[in-house]
């Protein structure tokens, strides 16, 4: 009925912005909040009460770019709408039934049992939406579909889905693991971090800030974390931009191939997220080098406005290999659906 988007993470003005928005729209009957990390104690989308709010604060350090700025918005919304149910919708829930071998790190029992060190996986709201749309496009039931889903945006990850359930994913305890991202490093040799601390004296805060905000495509290119900028710069001869894109697409191919290793077959490769939607050069470079999986290049390039209107497009050349789909990002719609489901609406 109405929407308002902000390009920056919520800040001190978030409460005032929300108050202004609510003054201009019909009164809501419920509020759905995207919360990236559920932590160990919340395994489903749930109503937010005092207990849940405390548990969310306890896991904020596991997703500092996401949960930390989200909580003041939760508080502001609950204060402005005290008589309306608020539902936390988690990105981790999609992966809650990961097989033991996929969620377990090869570390001592004490770390796993006492510290709770395990893989969670993220982008679950995006994956839930993309999976349902893909099943419709392929005219296959979700519970008989084996696909690799790839979410590429500011954060990037891949996920293996077998018969409707996540069985493997590239992100882990935090959203920092896995593929190269816009400003996040993705996976890095843990020995390198120990070496940076011991040999070069980098503090935990320095490592945290650099790996979350100054690495990835931005760190590689030195100029931008936006693939659109980098594609243009590469065309103009920028070697650093070319290296950034080559490293990124290789990282994506590695992730896709590793996810395929958890499936019996590959029924489709599905792209979603901002980069997945509107960066045909990246999609082509990923797929043209995945012939080992039966994926082929020569992809069709739908107009972005058509994709956004229709919600999905199949972009492979029919009969040439594994189906390749693009699904318009649907996290907002999935939050609405999950909120209604929790409330029995």
């Amino acid at each position: 009925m109405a929407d308002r988007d902000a390009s920056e993470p919520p800040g001190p003005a978030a409460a005032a912005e929300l108050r202004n928005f609510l003054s201009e729209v019909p009164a809501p009957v419920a509020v759905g909040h995207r919360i990236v990390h559920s932590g160990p104690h919340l395994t489903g989308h749930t109503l937010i009460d005092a207990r849940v709010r405390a548990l969310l604060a306890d896991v904020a350090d596991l997703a500092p770019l996401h949960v930390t700025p989200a909580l003041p918005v939760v508080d502001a919304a609950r204060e402005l709408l005290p008589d309306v149910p608020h539902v936390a919708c988690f990105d981790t829930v999609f992966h809650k039934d990961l097989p033991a071998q996929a969620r377990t790190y090869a570390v001592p029992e004490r770390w796993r049992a006492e510290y709770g060190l395990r893989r969670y996986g993220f982008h679950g709201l995006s994956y839930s939406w993309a999976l349902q749309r893909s099943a419709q496009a392929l005219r296959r039931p979700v519970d008989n579909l084996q696909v690799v889903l790839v979410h590429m945006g500011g954060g990037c990850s891949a996920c293996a889905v077998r018969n409707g359930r996540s069985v493997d994913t590239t992100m882990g305890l935090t959203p920092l693991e896995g593929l190269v991202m816009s400003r996040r490093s993705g996976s890095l040799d843990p020995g390198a971090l120990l070496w940076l601390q011991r040999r070069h004296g980098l503090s935990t805060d320095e490592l945290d800030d650099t790996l979350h905000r100054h690495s990835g495509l931005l760190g590689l290119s030195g100029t931008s974390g936006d693939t659109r900028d980098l594609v243009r710069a590469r065309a103009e001869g920028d070697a650093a931009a070319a290296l950034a894109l080559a490293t990124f697409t290789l990282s994506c191919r590695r992730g896709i191939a590793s996810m395929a290793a958890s499936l019996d077959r590959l029924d489709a490769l599905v792209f979603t997220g901002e980069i997945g939607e509107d960066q045909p050069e990246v999609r082509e470079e990923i797929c043209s080098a995945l012939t080992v999986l039966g994926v082929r290049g020569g992809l069709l390039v739908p107009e972005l406005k058509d994709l956004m209107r229709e919600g999905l497009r199949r972009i492979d050349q029919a009969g040439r290999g594994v189906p390749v789909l693009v699904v318009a990002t649907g996290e907002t719609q999935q939050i609405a659906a999950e909120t209604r489901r929790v409330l029995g609406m």
Side-chain angles (χ1 to χ4, degrees):
M1 298 179 72
D3 65 73
R4 183 169 300 171
D5 297 310
S7 59
E8 297 298 321
E17 293 169 356
L18 182 57
R19 183 181 297 106
N20 292 339
F21 176 66
L22 291 171
S23 71
E24 301 168 2
V25 300
V29 297
V31 182
H33 298 266
R34 181 196 178 200
I35 307 294
V36 166
H37 211 307
S38 64
H41 302 297
L42 299 169
T43 58
H45 311 300
T46 186
L47 279 167
I48 300 174
D49 56 17
R51 170 184 169 272
V52 170
R53 176 61 180 81
L55 290 172
L56 296 180
D58 191 52
V59 300
D61 61 339
L62 291 176
L65 297 184
H66 303 90
V67 177
T68 300
L71 293 182
V73 181
V74 170
D75 295 339
R78 293 179 72 204
E79 182 177 342
L80 291 167
L81 297 165
D83 300 319
V84 168
H86 293 256
V87 175
C89 300
F90 297 107
D91 274 299
T92 47
V93 166
F94 186 72
H95 309 286
K96 67 183 178 64
D97 294 321
L98 278 175
Q101 65 269 26
R103 68 173 184 263
T104 303
Y105 285 112
V107 295
E109 168 69 15
R110 180 184 176 191
W111 288 17
R112 290 180 276 123
E114 292 187 26
Y115 305 154
L117 191 60
R118 53 155 291 184
R119 304 175 68 86
Y120 282 92
F122 302 93
H123 291 134
L125 294 165
S126 176
Y127 288 145
S128 294
W129 181 261
L131 178 61
Q132 296 295 330
R133 302 291 83 71
S134 299
Q136 292 172 8
L138 296 169
R139 299 182 180 179
R140 299 271 298 273
V142 168
D143 60 5
N144 188 31
L145 201 58
Q146 299 200 32
V147 297
V148 172
L149 307 173
V150 189
H151 179 104
M152 299 189 299
C156 301
S157 71
C159 173
V161 174
R162 179 201 295 265
N163 304 334
R165 299 175 66 177
S166 171
V167 294
D168 204 357
T169 189
T170 56
M171 283 182 168
L173 176 72
T174 77
L176 188 59
E177 186 179 359
L179 311 184
V180 171
M181 306 178 218
S182 177
R183 293 169 179 264
R184 281 174 261 166
S185 64
S187 292
L188 191 65
D189 177 359
L193 302 180
L194 298 173
W195 176 76
L196 287 168
Q197 288 182 311
R198 291 170 176 164
R199 176 67 67 89
H200 298 284
L202 270 65
S203 68
T204 302
D205 288 344
E206 287 177 290
L207 291 173
D208 184 288
D209 184 59
T210 301
L211 296 175
H212 278 102
R213 296 178 175 83
H214 305 287
S215 298
L217 289 168
L218 176 62
L220 286 163
S221 69
T223 55
S224 177
D226 190 320
T227 55
R228 293 167 297 186
D229 295 336
L230 299 177
V231 167
R232 288 191 292 267
R234 180 178 63 180
E236 296 168 359
D238 186 326
L243 175 62
L245 287 168
T247 304
F248 176 71
T249 55
L250 175 59
S251 170
C252 291
R253 294 197 301 274
R254 285 171 169 165
I256 292 165
S258 69
M259 293 301 99
S262 289
L263 302 176
D264 300 320
R265 63 182 188 272
L266 185 58
D267 294 328
L269 175 62
V270 182
F271 292 100
T272 190
E274 296 90 337
I275 298 172
E277 290 169 1
D278 67 1
Q279 199 67 69
E281 297 90 347
V282 170
R283 295 193 302 257
E284 181 66 30
E285 288 170 35
I286 291 171
C287 291
S288 62
L290 277 177
T291 54
V292 67
L293 296 181
V295 177
R296 299 288 187 271
L299 301 176
L300 305 176
V301 182
E303 290 289 338
L304 184 59
K305 64 179 186 298
D306 295 334
L307 172 63
M308 302 309 289
R309 183 182 67 252
E310 298 169 14
L312 61 87
R313 277 291 183 91
R314 183 168 171 174
I315 59 172
D316 60 290
Q317 300 281 356
R320 289 193 57 196
V322 170
V324 179
L325 285 76
V326 179
V327 177
T329 309
E331 288 164 318
T332 302
Q333 297 96 314
Q334 192 66 33
I335 291 168
E338 300 296 355
T339 298
R340 292 188 180 98
R341 191 172 292 116
V342 167
L343 299 175
M345 297 170 67

